[in-house]
PDB file of all heavy atoms in Angstrom:
ATOM      1  N   GLY A 196      -6.285  33.621  10.142  1.00  0.00           N
ATOM      2  CA  GLY A 196      -5.535  32.466  10.663  1.00  0.00           C
ATOM      3  C   GLY A 196      -6.349  31.187  10.550  1.00  0.00           C
ATOM      4  O   GLY A 196      -5.848  30.150  10.103  1.00  0.00           O
ATOM      5  N   ARG A 197      -7.622  31.276  10.948  1.00  0.00           N
ATOM      6  CA  ARG A 197      -8.536  30.124  10.868  1.00  0.00           C
ATOM      7  C   ARG A 197      -8.682  29.665   9.421  1.00  0.00           C
ATOM      8  O   ARG A 197      -8.610  28.485   9.097  1.00  0.00           O
ATOM      9  CB  ARG A 197      -9.917  30.564  11.359  1.00  0.00           C
ATOM     10  CG  ARG A 197     -10.302  29.972  12.684  1.00  0.00           C
ATOM     11  CD  ARG A 197     -11.664  30.498  13.127  1.00  0.00           C
ATOM     12  NE  ARG A 197     -11.520  31.210  14.382  1.00  0.00           N
ATOM     13  CZ  ARG A 197     -11.847  32.478  14.587  1.00  0.00           C
ATOM     14  NH1 ARG A 197     -12.374  33.211  13.625  1.00  0.00           N
ATOM     15  NH2 ARG A 197     -11.656  33.024  15.772  1.00  0.00           N
ATOM     16  N   GLN A 198      -8.880  30.651   8.512  1.00  0.00           N
ATOM     17  CA  GLN A 198      -9.076  30.347   7.087  1.00  0.00           C
ATOM     18  C   GLN A 198      -7.835  29.637   6.524  1.00  0.00           C
ATOM     19  O   GLN A 198      -7.941  28.661   5.779  1.00  0.00           O
ATOM     20  CB  GLN A 198      -9.316  31.673   6.348  1.00  0.00           C
ATOM     21  CG  GLN A 198      -9.599  31.547   4.870  1.00  0.00           C
ATOM     22  CD  GLN A 198      -9.672  32.917   4.192  1.00  0.00           C
ATOM     23  OE1 GLN A 198      -9.961  33.938   4.843  1.00  0.00           O
ATOM     24  NE2 GLN A 198      -9.410  32.955   2.904  1.00  0.00           N
ATOM     25  N   LEU A 199      -6.654  30.125   6.894  1.00  0.00           N
ATOM     26  CA  LEU A 199      -5.420  29.531   6.363  1.00  0.00           C
ATOM     27  C   LEU A 199      -5.259  28.086   6.815  1.00  0.00           C
ATOM     28  O   LEU A 199      -4.685  27.262   6.110  1.00  0.00           O
ATOM     29  CB  LEU A 199      -4.198  30.348   6.807  1.00  0.00           C
ATOM     30  CG  LEU A 199      -4.104  31.770   6.240  1.00  0.00           C
ATOM     31  CD1 LEU A 199      -2.938  32.532   6.871  1.00  0.00           C
ATOM     32  CD2 LEU A 199      -3.937  31.736   4.718  1.00  0.00           C
ATOM     33  N   ARG A 200      -5.771  27.772   7.999  1.00  0.00           N
ATOM     34  CA  ARG A 200      -5.594  26.414   8.523  1.00  0.00           C
ATOM     35  C   ARG A 200      -6.742  25.485   8.152  1.00  0.00           C
ATOM     36  O   ARG A 200      -6.741  24.309   8.554  1.00  0.00           O
ATOM     37  CB  ARG A 200      -5.421  26.442  10.050  1.00  0.00           C
ATOM     38  CG  ARG A 200      -4.075  27.038  10.415  1.00  0.00           C
ATOM     39  CD  ARG A 200      -3.311  26.317  11.482  1.00  0.00           C
ATOM     40  NE  ARG A 200      -3.215  24.905  11.412  1.00  0.00           N
ATOM     41  CZ  ARG A 200      -2.112  24.231  11.046  1.00  0.00           C
ATOM     42  NH1 ARG A 200      -1.031  24.863  10.662  1.00  0.00           N
ATOM     43  NH2 ARG A 200      -2.080  22.913  11.078  1.00  0.00           N
ATOM     44  N   ALA A 201      -7.704  26.002   7.383  1.00  0.00           N
ATOM     45  CA  ALA A 201      -8.921  25.223   7.141  1.00  0.00           C
ATOM     46  C   ALA A 201      -8.616  23.841   6.544  1.00  0.00           C
ATOM     47  O   ALA A 201      -9.269  22.854   6.897  1.00  0.00           O
ATOM     48  CB  ALA A 201      -9.862  25.995   6.230  1.00  0.00           C
ATOM     49  N   ALA A 202      -7.629  23.757   5.649  1.00  0.00           N
ATOM     50  CA  ALA A 202      -7.355  22.471   4.998  1.00  0.00           C
ATOM     51  C   ALA A 202      -6.313  21.654   5.765  1.00  0.00           C
ATOM     52  O   ALA A 202      -5.904  20.593   5.305  1.00  0.00           O
ATOM     53  CB  ALA A 202      -6.865  22.718   3.573  1.00  0.00           C
ATOM     54  N   GLU A 203      -5.870  22.172   6.906  1.00  0.00           N
ATOM     55  CA  GLU A 203      -4.799  21.504   7.657  1.00  0.00           C
ATOM     56  C   GLU A 203      -5.383  20.596   8.741  1.00  0.00           C
ATOM     57  O   GLU A 203      -6.428  20.903   9.316  1.00  0.00           O
ATOM     58  CB  GLU A 203      -3.918  22.564   8.342  1.00  0.00           C
ATOM     59  CG  GLU A 203      -3.079  23.356   7.376  1.00  0.00           C
ATOM     60  CD  GLU A 203      -1.962  22.534   6.749  1.00  0.00           C
ATOM     61  OE1 GLU A 203      -1.317  21.759   7.474  1.00  0.00           O
ATOM     62  OE2 GLU A 203      -1.741  22.660   5.538  1.00  0.00           O
ATOM     63  N   PRO A 204      -4.679  19.503   9.042  1.00  0.00           N
ATOM     64  CA  PRO A 204      -5.146  18.659  10.146  1.00  0.00           C
ATOM     65  C   PRO A 204      -4.777  19.296  11.490  1.00  0.00           C
ATOM     66  O   PRO A 204      -4.063  20.299  11.535  1.00  0.00           O
ATOM     67  CB  PRO A 204      -4.343  17.368   9.940  1.00  0.00           C
ATOM     68  CG  PRO A 204      -3.093  17.819   9.266  1.00  0.00           C
ATOM     69  CD  PRO A 204      -3.451  19.030   8.437  1.00  0.00           C
ATOM     70  N   GLY A 205      -5.255  18.698  12.547  1.00  0.00           N
ATOM     71  CA  GLY A 205      -4.848  19.138  13.884  1.00  0.00           C
ATOM     72  C   GLY A 205      -5.793  20.158  14.479  1.00  0.00           C
ATOM     73  O   GLY A 205      -6.666  20.692  13.800  1.00  0.00           O
ATOM     74  N   VAL A 206      -5.593  20.405  15.781  1.00  0.00           N
ATOM     75  CA  VAL A 206      -6.486  21.312  16.503  1.00  0.00           C
ATOM     76  C   VAL A 206      -5.762  22.625  16.752  1.00  0.00           C
ATOM     77  O   VAL A 206      -4.827  22.702  17.551  1.00  0.00           O
ATOM     78  CB  VAL A 206      -6.900  20.697  17.861  1.00  0.00           C
ATOM     79  CG1 VAL A 206      -7.916  21.610  18.558  1.00  0.00           C
ATOM     80  CG2 VAL A 206      -7.469  19.306  17.662  1.00  0.00           C
ATOM     81  N   VAL A 207      -6.161  23.662  16.028  1.00  0.00           N
ATOM     82  CA  VAL A 207      -5.634  25.003  16.278  1.00  0.00           C
ATOM     83  C   VAL A 207      -6.830  25.939  16.453  1.00  0.00           C
ATOM     84  O   VAL A 207      -7.618  26.138  15.521  1.00  0.00           O
ATOM     85  CB  VAL A 207      -4.720  25.493  15.130  1.00  0.00           C
ATOM     86  CG1 VAL A 207      -4.153  26.867  15.476  1.00  0.00           C
ATOM     87  CG2 VAL A 207      -3.585  24.505  14.865  1.00  0.00           C
ATOM     88  N   ASP A 208      -6.987  26.467  17.657  1.00  0.00           N
ATOM     89  CA  ASP A 208      -8.085  27.399  17.954  1.00  0.00           C
ATOM     90  C   ASP A 208      -7.557  28.823  17.901  1.00  0.00           C
ATOM     91  O   ASP A 208      -6.419  29.082  18.318  1.00  0.00           O
ATOM     92  CB  ASP A 208      -8.648  27.139  19.356  1.00  0.00           C
ATOM     93  CG  ASP A 208      -9.246  25.748  19.465  1.00  0.00           C
ATOM     94  OD1 ASP A 208      -9.906  25.317  18.503  1.00  0.00           O
ATOM     95  OD2 ASP A 208      -9.008  25.091  20.496  1.00  0.00           O
ATOM     96  N   PHE A 209      -8.391  29.731  17.410  1.00  0.00           N
ATOM     97  CA  PHE A 209      -8.018  31.149  17.345  1.00  0.00           C
ATOM     98  C   PHE A 209      -8.997  31.926  18.215  1.00  0.00           C
ATOM     99  O   PHE A 209     -10.201  31.892  17.954  1.00  0.00           O
ATOM    100  CB  PHE A 209      -8.069  31.654  15.898  1.00  0.00           C
ATOM    101  CG  PHE A 209      -6.977  31.076  15.028  1.00  0.00           C
ATOM    102  CD1 PHE A 209      -7.115  29.822  14.450  1.00  0.00           C
ATOM    103  CD2 PHE A 209      -5.810  31.789  14.801  1.00  0.00           C
ATOM    104  CE1 PHE A 209      -6.102  29.285  13.655  1.00  0.00           C
ATOM    105  CE2 PHE A 209      -4.795  31.262  14.006  1.00  0.00           C
ATOM    106  CZ  PHE A 209      -4.947  30.001  13.429  1.00  0.00           C
ATOM    107  N   GLU A 210      -8.499  32.628  19.236  1.00  0.00           N
ATOM    108  CA  GLU A 210      -9.397  33.300  20.178  1.00  0.00           C
ATOM    109  C   GLU A 210      -8.970  34.727  20.435  1.00  0.00           C
ATOM    110  O   GLU A 210      -7.762  35.013  20.527  1.00  0.00           O
ATOM    111  CB  GLU A 210      -9.422  32.527  21.507  1.00  0.00           C
ATOM    112  CG  GLU A 210     -10.079  31.162  21.373  1.00  0.00           C
ATOM    113  CD  GLU A 210      -9.946  30.321  22.629  1.00  0.00           C
ATOM    114  OE1 GLU A 210      -9.599  30.863  23.698  1.00  0.00           O
ATOM    115  OE2 GLU A 210     -10.163  29.096  22.516  1.00  0.00           O
ATOM    116  N   ARG A 211      -9.982  35.585  20.592  1.00  0.00           N
ATOM    117  CA  ARG A 211      -9.729  37.002  20.878  1.00  0.00           C
ATOM    118  C   ARG A 211      -9.146  37.134  22.272  1.00  0.00           C
ATOM    119  O   ARG A 211      -9.642  36.521  23.227  1.00  0.00           O
ATOM    120  CB  ARG A 211     -11.076  37.737  20.775  1.00  0.00           C
ATOM    121  CG  ARG A 211     -10.971  39.220  20.616  1.00  0.00           C
ATOM    122  CD  ARG A 211     -10.662  39.539  19.176  1.00  0.00           C
ATOM    123  NE  ARG A 211     -10.700  40.977  18.943  1.00  0.00           N
ATOM    124  CZ  ARG A 211     -11.676  41.587  18.290  1.00  0.00           C
ATOM    125  NH1 ARG A 211     -12.693  40.900  17.804  1.00  0.00           N
ATOM    126  NH2 ARG A 211     -11.620  42.880  18.098  1.00  0.00           N
ATOM    127  N   TRP A 212      -8.121  37.968  22.404  1.00  0.00           N
ATOM    128  CA  TRP A 212      -7.427  38.113  23.695  1.00  0.00           C
ATOM    129  C   TRP A 212      -6.673  39.425  23.688  1.00  0.00           C
ATOM    130  O   TRP A 212      -6.119  39.836  22.669  1.00  0.00           O
ATOM    131  CB  TRP A 212      -6.471  36.933  23.874  1.00  0.00           C
ATOM    132  CG  TRP A 212      -5.561  37.018  25.054  1.00  0.00           C
ATOM    133  CD1 TRP A 212      -5.828  36.619  26.332  1.00  0.00           C
ATOM    134  CD2 TRP A 212      -4.202  37.490  25.068  1.00  0.00           C
ATOM    135  NE1 TRP A 212      -4.739  36.818  27.133  1.00  0.00           N
ATOM    136  CE2 TRP A 212      -3.730  37.355  26.381  1.00  0.00           C
ATOM    137  CE3 TRP A 212      -3.346  38.015  24.106  1.00  0.00           C
ATOM    138  CZ2 TRP A 212      -2.438  37.734  26.758  1.00  0.00           C
ATOM    139  CZ3 TRP A 212      -2.064  38.393  24.476  1.00  0.00           C
ATOM    140  CH2 TRP A 212      -1.623  38.246  25.788  1.00  0.00           C
ATOM    141  N   GLN A 213      -6.653  40.067  24.827  1.00  0.00           N
ATOM    142  CA  GLN A 213      -5.926  41.330  24.971  1.00  0.00           C
ATOM    143  C   GLN A 213      -4.828  41.115  26.005  1.00  0.00           C
ATOM    144  O   GLN A 213      -5.090  40.527  27.066  1.00  0.00           O
ATOM    145  CB  GLN A 213      -6.925  42.396  25.461  1.00  0.00           C
ATOM    146  CG  GLN A 213      -6.383  43.794  25.554  1.00  0.00           C
ATOM    147  CD  GLN A 213      -6.200  44.431  24.181  1.00  0.00           C
ATOM    148  OE1 GLN A 213      -7.029  44.236  23.303  1.00  0.00           O
ATOM    149  NE2 GLN A 213      -5.121  45.163  24.014  1.00  0.00           N
ATOM    150  N   ALA A 214      -3.597  41.563  25.701  1.00  0.00           N
ATOM    151  CA  ALA A 214      -2.511  41.432  26.690  1.00  0.00           C
ATOM    152  C   ALA A 214      -2.979  42.042  28.000  1.00  0.00           C
ATOM    153  O   ALA A 214      -3.577  43.114  28.015  1.00  0.00           O
ATOM    154  CB  ALA A 214      -1.265  42.130  26.173  1.00  0.00           C
ATOM    155  N   GLY A 215      -2.703  41.363  29.101  1.00  0.00           N
ATOM    156  CA  GLY A 215      -3.181  41.808  30.413  1.00  0.00           C
ATOM    157  C   GLY A 215      -4.321  40.927  30.899  1.00  0.00           C
ATOM    158  O   GLY A 215      -4.551  40.807  32.096  1.00  0.00           O
ATOM    159  N   SER A 216      -5.040  40.283  29.955  1.00  0.00           N
ATOM    160  CA  SER A 216      -6.101  39.338  30.340  1.00  0.00           C
ATOM    161  C   SER A 216      -5.434  38.018  30.747  1.00  0.00           C
ATOM    162  O   SER A 216      -4.290  37.762  30.363  1.00  0.00           O
ATOM    163  CB  SER A 216      -7.045  39.044  29.174  1.00  0.00           C
ATOM    164  OG  SER A 216      -7.368  40.216  28.511  1.00  0.00           O
ATOM    165  N   PRO A 217      -6.183  37.169  31.477  1.00  0.00           N
ATOM    166  CA  PRO A 217      -5.607  35.880  31.868  1.00  0.00           C
ATOM    167  C   PRO A 217      -5.134  35.068  30.661  1.00  0.00           C
ATOM    168  O   PRO A 217      -5.723  35.164  29.584  1.00  0.00           O
ATOM    169  CB  PRO A 217      -6.764  35.172  32.578  1.00  0.00           C
ATOM    170  CG  PRO A 217      -7.698  36.257  32.981  1.00  0.00           C
ATOM    171  CD  PRO A 217      -7.544  37.359  31.976  1.00  0.00           C
ATOM    172  N   VAL A 218      -4.072  34.302  30.873  1.00  0.00           N
ATOM    173  CA  VAL A 218      -3.517  33.453  29.800  1.00  0.00           C
ATOM    174  C   VAL A 218      -3.798  31.995  30.155  1.00  0.00           C
ATOM    175  O   VAL A 218      -3.423  31.555  31.248  1.00  0.00           O
ATOM    176  CB  VAL A 218      -1.989  33.670  29.672  1.00  0.00           C
ATOM    177  CG1 VAL A 218      -1.408  32.729  28.621  1.00  0.00           C
ATOM    178  CG2 VAL A 218      -1.681  35.117  29.332  1.00  0.00           C
TER     179      VAL A 218
END
Side-chain angles (χ1 to χ4, degrees):
R197 250 178 241 122
Q198 183 186 335
L199 294 174
R200 289 224 46 106
E203 290 290 318
V206 184
V207 183
D208 297 320
F209 290 83
E210 292 172 15
R211 198 80 174 254
W212 173 86
Q213 185 74 39
S216 316
V218 177

